[in-house]
Amino acid sequence: MNAPAGNRKAAGFFAGFLVIALLVAGGLSYFASSDPDGLDSVTLSGCDVVETDAGEQLEGACIAQNATDSAAAGSPLADYAIGGVEGTVGLAGVIGVIVTLAVAGGLFWFLRRRSAGD
Amino acid sequence: MVATSQATLAMHMSDGLVNAPTAVGFGLVAIVGLAIATQRARVDLDDRTAPMAGLVTAFVFAVQMINFPILPGASGHLLGGALVAILVGPWVGSLCIAIVLVVQAFLFADGGLTALGTNIVNMALVGVFAGHAVATAMRPLARRGRTGLLATAFVAALVNTVVAAAAFVLEYAIGGAGGASLATVAGLMIGLHLLIGIGEGLITAATVGAVAAARPDLVHLLRGRATPLEVRGAGEPA
């Protein structure tokens, strides 16, 4: 096992890493480009996105016309907004970071090789 | 059919872009791949690397939210394959990206649920192992010094992005729902992801460089091969 000093150093590094992830998801996310990403650009190629009363519609011929709504579309965090409220991407991101850390950290801690004495 | 487009924050494959047999087939590939990864990941996980892997996963989730512009009207975001392969190894890394994709699909409706198999194959399996292959090939350079490490991270990330994009093209070729010719899809996917790969390369190099400066012992690529013959428990005979 690590000496206590090594543990403290590791804890400091891990805490810093987490703070950066929280700042990126909670703050930098407000400055992210809202243009379609590479895949969406390809699936939208050939279509025009038209604003209508019923929301955005695709006109033309493109792959994205085959896209169906996710069964999770009703999630309170769908599309990185809390309950669909604009301007909540940061909080949604922070929740996402914490959930991701809990799931991944829990799985990896469970899977790890146990050191002597555990 | 009339499609109401998902919001621009959707980043991964939606449901319906490939037909059902293709979705199921790649779902099975994803399950088998992740089962193998779970088995093989154990050797790379200990009291130090398990928390690191959890944080790397959360970091990838965060950075995937940051779409950066690549062309007028088009953006890109980190996939993270080379990043996780370099920091925590390919088996743990595959699980990292898969967890990000599962959280995004179920909680954020980003990436369809039936498309989860294809998304996992593209980014968590193909992307991670493409990045891992390049990083491993360049490891002698990466070990020579900081510039070599950054160059390795950049190139591995660029390749991981383009190869993951090519995996989508393969899925579209096998069972695409239609709407665009295969040649168009292939050309656009590869071309756009060459540009996105530059961003992926810069983010990956910056992140790996920062971790290596603070804790080089937490960079899997620099530690070298896993040590499967290491004694698993003090009580077991070696």
Side-chain angles (χ1 to χ4, degrees), chain A residues 42-45 47 61-67, chain B residues 16-17 168 172 177-180 185:
Chain A
V42 174
T43 62
L44 289 169
S45 170
C47 281
C62 63
I63 300 172
Q65 285 168 322
N66 299 301
Chain B
L17 301 186
F168 169 78
Y172 190 76
V185 171

Side-chain angles (χ1 to χ4, degrees), chain B residues 18-27 174:
Chain B
V18 296
N19 61 32
T22 306
V24 171
F26 280 93
I174 291 172

